[in-house]
Amino acid sequence: MINLALGFARELLGRWGLWVLLGGIFTASQVSFDTTLGDANIGPYLAYVSLWPIALLFRCGWLMQKRRAEGWPLEERLRDPRGYRAPLAEFLALLLLMIGGLLLAGLAVLVPGVQSPTGGASLFPVSLQNSADGGWEFDLGGQVPDGGQMLLTLDWSQIDPPQQALAIRNAEGAEVLATAGEILRWPLQKEEAESGKVQLFAPAGTKLRLFRPLVRLEVPQPGGSDLWLLLLRQTLFFLPLMAILLALARFGQVRASLAAWAVFFFGSLAAYHPPTRLGDAGLGWLAKVFLLLKHSLPNVEGLISNGYRFERYSGTTSTGALVVWLAVGVLALLLACKRRAAR
Amino acid sequence: MSSSAVLRFEQLVLSRGKKRVAGPLDLSLQAGERGLVTGPNGSGKTTLVLAVAGLIAPGGGKLSTPKRIGLAPQEPEFPLHQSCSFYFRQLLALGSTPASEQAGALKRSLELFQLQEFADRPIGELSRGWRQRLNLARAWLGEPQLLVLDEPQTALDPSGMDSLTNALDALAKSAVLIVAPEGVGCCDLAPLVLDLKSGVPDLNAKAGAQL
Amino acid sequence: MNPSPSVWLQRCLAIWIALAVAGSLLAGIQPLGQSAGQSAQSWWTARRYQQADADLDLLGLRDLGQQYLHQTGNGTPLHFAIYQIGFAASGPSMNRLPADALDWAKVGAKLAGDSVDKLPAPWEALQTQSHVLVERAFPISADPQDLHVGLRAMEWFLASGGGPNALSRLTSAAYRDFLLLPPSERRTFLLNRMLAESSDESPAQPR
């Protein structure tokens, strides 16, 4: 099995694959972390590194298609009557190459002369959805990672007689003391972080107002030490996609290159983060259809969150969603190993 | 009909879609036996090969085949960019040959058809005749219990034919089913056991030839 | 003859791909890997920003700052552009005519005001806006509208205590002093505060 997997991996890499990977990771690390060229942000680096599994997905589709034209299905049927060796070897090859890419991507940050990201926190503007007397409702645009908090700048000038401190609470009764002249930090409760919706109330009749353009969401920014975890999450996002490709091409017996495109867009849907207002999109109805489809999938956006602002959704995938996502992959792999009867 | 038969048909009907192509057919081949199936174009020879290889389901009757089958199709397909040895190593890994025996199996199959000097060359560089030898070597690879050869003499020069004859003669544990059109000179390779002439079933022979 | 299940599946996949392509083009679905392209684009914007002439191509600098903010959420280049346009371009070292200097100051102050709801750290922009108005605009022309804008920026800045990472507690204390005053005296307090802050220090140069 391992020889078969290594052979497939060698075919996947082709003549230039290894050099493309090495060159790509070196370039990505330079433009991300070099002291003069980069801005020490992990997000873009993750985005560049994510191109490797995407390339593998398409390369695998192309190669499976090519193998079909080269008579592999016949040889598989003759030599592997139970039909599980080839799909498992293909999956193993993809896994090996993805882990190889992950290791190289992780090590690239250790190269001397690069600046390792130090973490910290990022701020995001927040839109106020509703404002009633003494109450504010915020839409944070989806789930917020652990440790997220809202920063509110309050206008105390209308309160008569003047007050220096007031308790701000949410509907569940959680309270934080706000002090005049200081930004109110509201640590998001579990439900608030999960739903991305926050409703806060000032004491009734106090005329405490909010400087609406100054509302911000603060999210912890992963540092260099979190890179391995982030790369692993990215790999876990792609593994089920690879299995689905194998299932479609083998059990579904569709053209593997077509299956690769279908899986690519399926992954895009799983990673899709809908805009707060769907009407903003050119085709609102289509966005709604995709949103419906997306809600039928486990929330795995947090696994593949990359690019600038990646910390906004990074790590928002729950263990349950991850288990379901991986279970989809296992099912797909089982299906790929199931040989269809001759017709 | 012997229960130790490697290949056995009983009232086998071959069909493509809803169209009946041939049958009912009866045949039994034991280990070490060879048989020749002939018939004119369109009589169902390739359908029979596909059915034996498990690529299509029979239209009726019983078909019993061994686990390890080597097939040399009439129009073989190869990964032209790969070397013969890399390709064969992949095939051996795909099959049930233990890893420790794979190198020996690879060497034997290449030697049978004098392909050693082409082992590290891309398959695409081989001529048609050498590709046919490779096709046969592939069928031999992994010591199958049943060899199915569809028009094996195609594109072979006299030296290639000698190799094929020698390779067939060296087989002791495998049954061989050769499929060829009428009158193409495969009678030297195996005795006629089945004539698929226009779907006429009563010409079926019952026994294979004992080597 | 009915098509086989795999043919049906293939057709379904083709429809799915067509829908997804339409979704990517028209409904905001982001294909996997697009963020890599966007990151590369942002990196290129950052390079252009670093190579831009911060003294001559002020509006280009602003555009690049806005572009970078939109692409990455990082407001530092835009804040620097606000500083350059509002503060540096209208400064004495540029030897501009007063009307010209005033124009630049107003452009800078307006840019700061317009960016407050978009910048990740708007408190710095409020402070810069206030500084620009008090140091560059007010000495040339006491426009009541500018005064109103400047006072509002200073009030918001004080209310925020200088932002979440402010080192000094003096801003918070100043806001509490401001609240204790009767409404009629608050404008004067804010104006004095603006003048005091501008004489204390120049705004931090963010580049």
Side-chain angles (χ1 to χ4, degrees), chain A residues 31 36-37 39 44 47-48 50-51 54 123 125 151 153-157 162-164 179-183 185 211 213-214 216 237-238 241 248 252-255 258-259 261-262 264-269 271-272 281-283 286-287 290 293 304 306-309 340 343, chain C residues 4-6 9-10 13-14 16-17 19-24 26-33 35-36 38-40 42-43 47 50 68-73 116-123 126 155-156 158-161 163-165 169 171-172 175-176 178-180 186:
Chain A
V31 298
T36 50
L37 287 174
D39 57 4
Y48 299 133
S50 77
L51 294 177
I54 295 171
L123 296 165
L151 307 183
T153 307
L154 297 167
D155 178 4
W156 300 69
S157 63
Q163 298 209 30
Q164 303 277 318
T179 308
E182 286 177 19
I183 282 179
R185 287 179 177 270
F211 289 120
L214 303 187
R216 294 292 179 274
F237 175 82
F238 280 103
L241 294 183
L248 283 174
Q253 295 186 343
V254 298
R255 289 168 63 92
L258 185 83
W261 277 104
F264 171 74
F265 283 115
F266 175 73
S268 304
L269 180 70
Y272 171 49
L283 274 185
L286 192 57
F290 280 107
L293 289 172
I304 187 65
N306 57 34
Y308 287 98
R309 303 187 184 94
R340 280 172 67 164
R343 296 178 72 228
Chain C
S4 67
S6 65
L9 182 59
Q10 197 148 307
L13 292 184
W16 160 244
I17 291 168
L19 268 176
V21 169
S24 305
L26 303 166
I29 310 288
Q30 202 182 33
L32 288 173
S35 56
Q38 286 167 346
S39 297
S42 308
W43 180 82
R47 298 277 74 70
Q50 285 185 352
Y68 196 68
L69 173 66
H70 177 70
Q71 288 169 343
T72 68
V116 161
D117 59 344
K118 300 178 195 79
L119 286 164
W123 310 279
L126 287 170
E155 184 185 346
W156 287 22
L158 293 181
S160 71
N165 301 318
R169 311 281 293 178
T171 313
S172 302
Y175 187 65
R176 286 193 282 272
F178 162 81
L179 292 176
L180 292 173
R186 286 181 177 176

Side-chain angles (χ1 to χ4, degrees), chain B residues 29-88:
Chain B
L29 282 180
Q30 295 188 16
E33 288 183 335
R34 292 184 214 162
L36 173 67
V37 177
T38 65
N41 292 341
S43 61
K45 296 188 299 297
T46 302
T47 309
L48 175 66
V49 169
L50 294 177
V52 170
L55 294 178
I56 59 169
K62 280 187 183 171
L63 170 63
S64 161
T65 55
K67 269 190 178 175
R68 296 199 315 275
I69 303 175
L71 171 67
Q74 190 182 352
E75 288 171 6
E77 288 157 329
F78 297 106
L80 300 180
H81 61 289
Q82 284 177 6
S83 69
C84 305
S85 57
F86 177 78
Y87 177 50
F88 276 21

